[in-house]
Amino acid sequence: ARVHVFNYFTCLLDRGGSFKSCIIVFYLLVFIAFIFEKRPILSSSTPYFSRIANATNLVPFYYNPNTNYQALQMNVIVKIFLVMPVALYYVIKKDCTLGQLITFILGASFIFEVAKLLSLRGYFDVTDFFYYMAGAALAYYIYRSIKFFTKK
């Protein structure tokens, strides 16, 4: 399946499609795959709102003491780097300030987190917003640094 997706992106670029359209298609595929994942939270015999309450963490940086810390580190790294291409695209397209970028990323991540929660395909974790903002800020400063050093 991975080869077919790669071939699709290659064909999209070969037919005059832009890199932007490849990024958009890629993120839509990742989002759809994540939302329709076959791992609902808790059993279906538990009431819907109880499952939502159990899938919500409103305490920043709270982790279960029995957490596998390697998986936790990987989760943090993935969340930071997952938002970077979207943030770079937004900064390049809009030439915005860091505040505008953070506002955009917070809005988009809120929609994403609520979709995960309501579909019961993931957890709503407030800490994720900090990771998304860190990824957006990192992308912003990388872009500004490249722009500064390539300026003639």
Side-chain angles (χ1 to χ4, degrees), residues 4-141:
H4 298 297
V5 170
F6 179 73
N7 287 339
Y8 175 76
F9 290 126
T10 305
C11 289
L12 189 62
L13 286 172
D14 289 343
R15 292 182 183 161
S18 66
F19 183 69
K20 172 184 82 168
S21 58
C22 286
I23 289 176
I24 291 170
V25 168
F26 174 75
Y27 274 97
L28 284 174
L29 290 174
V30 168
F31 182 74
I32 290 168
F34 190 78
I35 292 298
F36 292 111
E37 185 181 358
K38 299 287 187 217
R39 288 187 309 123
I41 298 170
L42 300 173
S43 69
S44 59
S45 64
T46 308
Y48 180 74
F49 291 110
S50 295
R51 289 187 284 168
I52 285 181
N54 289 329
T56 304
N57 175 23
L58 299 176
V59 180
F61 302 105
Y62 170 77
Y63 299 105
N64 186 342
N66 299 326
T67 302
N68 177 355
Y69 285 103
Q70 284 182 324
L72 181 62
Q73 289 172 344
M74 190 55 137
N75 184 30
V76 170
I77 291 168
V78 165
K79 287 186 178 166
I80 287 173
F81 285 102
L82 181 70
V83 77
M84 286 181 68
V86 174
L88 275 172
Y89 173 73
Y90 190 78
V91 169
I92 291 168
K93 188 74 173 172
K94 301 286 186 183
D95 196 33
C96 61
T97 65
L98 181 59
Q100 292 168 329
L101 175 64
I102 294 294
T103 302
F104 169 75
I105 292 298
L106 282 175
S109 61
F110 182 77
I111 292 168
F112 182 67
E113 290 288 323
V114 168
K116 286 191 320 183
L117 179 65
L118 294 179
S119 67
L120 293 173
R121 302 292 184 216
Y123 292 91
F124 183 93
D125 192 355
V126 169
T127 309
D128 291 351
F129 292 107
F130 292 105
Y131 300 144
Y132 296 142
M133 287 188 299
L138 187 60
Y140 179 83
Y141 287 118

Side-chain angles (χ1 to χ4, degrees), residues 134-151:
L138 187 60
Y140 179 83
Y141 287 118
I142 287 171
Y143 172 73
R144 292 295 177 198
S145 298
I146 291 171
K147 192 173 177 181
F148 177 77
F149 289 116
T150 58
K151 191 187 295 185

